[in-house]
Amino acid sequence: MQRLLVAILAAVDAAIAAAVGLAVLLAPLTLLWTLAFGASADWGALWPVAGTLWQFGHGVPLDITIADEMVVVVGISPDAARFTLSLTPLAFLIFTLLFAARSGTRAARSGAWLLGVVAGSLIFALIATGVALTAHTAGAQSSFALGIVLPSAVYVVGALCGAVRYAWREGDGGLIDRLHDVVDRWGDWGVLPAEIARGTAAVVVALTGVAGLAVAVAVMLRGGEVVALFEAARVDATGVTVLTLGHLAYLPTLLVWAVAWLAGPGIAMGVGTAVSPAGTELGVVPGIPMLGLLPEATSIWMLIVVLLPVGAGAFAGWIVRSRLVWEDVARPFAPRLAITVGIALCSAGVAAVAAVLASGSIGPGRLAETGPHPGWMSLAIGIEVLVGASILLLAPRHRDELAEERTDRWVEEMGASPTTDAGGLPARSVADSGADGDPDANDTAPLDDHGFFGDGSTPTHR
């Protein structure tokens, strides 16, 4: 009965995730539909538009076809009337990913994570299939297969990550526990999976925070250009609302662009263009207000910003190194080297996936290439994180520092004061007294590799 309940709850989670994503699109579209068309609105077209945008938000490319009448009115070239739109607004994808991770965690907490992941993924795939079957618009066509596979893949990845993370940490009494036992038998190498994952998560969080700060600085410095582009669009209140909501949906995409710029490779805004700290080469840029944040020119001295990803790697190295010291596995050099390389490779992999999702086509012709290059971005992030993590993870530790941290851990585990033992006596009388009662018997005793005196006693603060 419990397993059935887990499957039902996972299915409900998947249905809610899809429903919320669609409702976030339907609610403002309904309001805008009413304001724009009034009583004469074609309500039958509302659902196909919302469903198509939902697919697009999960990475499904759209084949845009502009009607001949609109081509004549706007005065554009017939060759530009058909193009592919593939630059994804990542806000929808990230929402589904996080919601799926929450569902996977809850299934793992209930003791049937695999059943929960499978049940939730199947329901989400069924909903994606229904959207793909019913959401058809004349001006924006999407692939039927990709409309099912890509949204479902996003949900599966999120649910698996959430479930495996919880099961690895807390146990599941099954497959993950058996795998954990195998890894534990590796000895000093058994910490690799957990610490690589921890370090990679620290890098991702640090780079996201730095990118958000960079975007905020760009808004302060280039906010006038953004406002000017809003004014140049000459749209009414409804148009401004649509543009603002679109910008919010593309905010995560903009953060990935900021990371690519900070890492050095930068982004492209069309074929043959580049926006990076080393320099900016732009042609004609679409009048999208968000693109007003792009710098018009940069100095070679701006390359100093590549130290920020290096700092993210150092931050991850510090977190992992502290954890290794706490678990008393920081002494062997080879596992620390493997963890450092693993963090760099996984960070590069995450950067490559983010670059793929945050790049694509935004228009015809030269606008078919927009965003960061996955290969160059992943290479830069990998090298910079490797340098930063190496500084903290591979540096030799002083024996006194190790002894002090081991003492702090002993004090915390025993719940005792650093100056008194469990019986209320001064810690010096216990730790500094030899077998013969001489209080200075151990004052000159050397520390072993674990930070203890030769007789097994723990050094105290003096």
Side-chain angles (χ1 to χ4, degrees):
M1 181 63 184
Q2 182 182 2
R3 295 174 63 84
L4 178 61
L5 183 60
V6 171
I8 293 174
L9 291 176
V12 171
D13 280 343
I16 292 175
V20 170
L22 289 167
V24 167
L25 286 166
L26 278 172
L29 278 177
T30 302
L31 179 61
L32 295 175
W33 220 261
T34 303
L35 296 176
F37 302 107
S40 61
D42 181 12
W43 294 102
L46 182 61
W47 166 253
V49 171
T52 300
L53 291 177
W54 184 80
Q55 291 178 320
F56 179 54
H58 288 83
V60 181
L62 300 180
D63 295 324
I64 306 297
T65 302
I66 301 177
D68 295 338
E69 298 81 2
M70 184 65 66
V71 171
V72 174
V73 171
V74 178
I76 62 176
S77 170
D79 296 335
R82 291 174 177 80
F83 59 92
T84 299
L85 185 62
S86 58
L87 184 63
T88 303
L90 293 180
F92 297 98
L93 187 149
I94 291 177
F95 168 78
T96 299
L97 197 69
L98 294 178
F99 206 102
R102 173 182 173 275
S103 177
T105 300
R106 185 160 66 178
R109 190 180 294 115
S110 301
W113 66 268
L114 185 58
L115 177 63
V117 169
V118 171
S121 301
L122 285 177
I123 295 300
F124 197 88
L126 287 176
I127 296 175
T129 302
V131 173
L133 288 171
T134 57
H136 296 286
T137 59
Q141 297 292 329
S142 61
S143 169
F144 177 77
L146 292 179
I148 298 173
V149 172
L150 291 183
S152 303
V154 172
Y155 193 90
V156 170
V157 170
L160 274 177
C161 289
V164 171
R165 172 186 171 274
Y166 183 88
W168 184 271
R169 187 182 61 186
E170 303 295 338
D172 68 339
L175 176 63
I176 300 298
D177 276 349
R178 290 195 293 271
L179 181 60
H180 206 303
D181 291 339
V182 172
V183 173
D184 287 342
R185 288 195 290 269
W186 294 353
D188 290 336
W189 297 85
V191 297
L192 259 67
E195 298 309 322
I196 289 175
R198 180 177 288 107
T200 303
V203 169
V204 172
V205 171
L207 288 179
T208 302
V210 172
L213 181 61
V215 171
V217 172
V219 170
M220 289 189 294
L221 297 178
R222 304 277 299 173
E225 297 294 331
V226 176
V227 173
L229 288 173
F230 262 109
E231 294 174 346
R234 298 185 181 277
V235 292
D236 55 9
T238 302
V240 171
T241 303
V242 171
L243 285 175
T244 302
L245 292 176
H247 282 53
L248 292 176
Y250 274 99
L251 182 58
T253 306
L254 193 61
L255 292 179
V256 177
W257 289 9
V259 172
W261 189 85
L262 293 171
I267 63 172
M269 195 50 60
V271 178
T273 64
V275 181
S276 71
T280 299
E281 296 182 6
L282 286 175
V284 179
V285 178
I288 302 174
M290 180 180 70
L291 300 183
L293 299 178
L294 298 176
E296 294 180 352
T298 54
S299 169
I300 191 66
W301 293 102
M302 288 301 296
L303 281 173
I304 196 174
V305 297
V306 301
L307 293 178
L308 295 174
V310 174
F315 173 68
W318 172 70
I319 289 178
V320 173
R321 185 62 175 266
S322 301
R323 184 76 177 183
L324 293 178
V325 170
W326 173 262
E327 296 177 350
D328 192 26
V329 289
R331 288 179 294 108
F333 178 81
R336 284 188 281 129
L337 177 61
I339 292 173
T340 303
V341 175
I343 292 174
L345 291 177
C346 290
S347 299
V350 173
V353 172
V356 169
L357 295 174
S359 60
S361 171
I362 60 172
R366 58 187 295 272
L367 296 178
E369 294 183 9
T370 306
H373 188 282
W376 291 118
M377 179 176 173
S378 62
L379 179 62
I381 291 293
I383 293 175
E384 290 157 4
V385 169
L386 179 63
V387 172
S390 299
I391 296 173
L392 271 295
L393 269 173
L394 303 183
R397 296 184 64 84
H398 194 273
R399 179 174 295 183
D400 291 343
E401 179 186 1
L402 179 59
E404 183 176 353
E405 293 184 3
R406 291 278 296 171
T407 302
D408 292 339
R409 183 164 75 94
W410 177 82
V411 170
E412 183 173 341
E413 288 179 348
M414 299 300 294
S417 168
T419 57
T420 60
D421 62 5
L425 297 176
R428 180 182 175 87
S429 66
V430 177
D432 294 349
S433 297
D436 58 354
D438 183 2
D440 295 326
N442 286 331
D443 281 355
T444 59
L447 300 179
D448 62 15
D449 290 339
H450 297 282
F452 289 92
F453 291 119
D455 61 354
S457 60
T458 308
T460 57
H461 299 286
R462 301 191 176 183

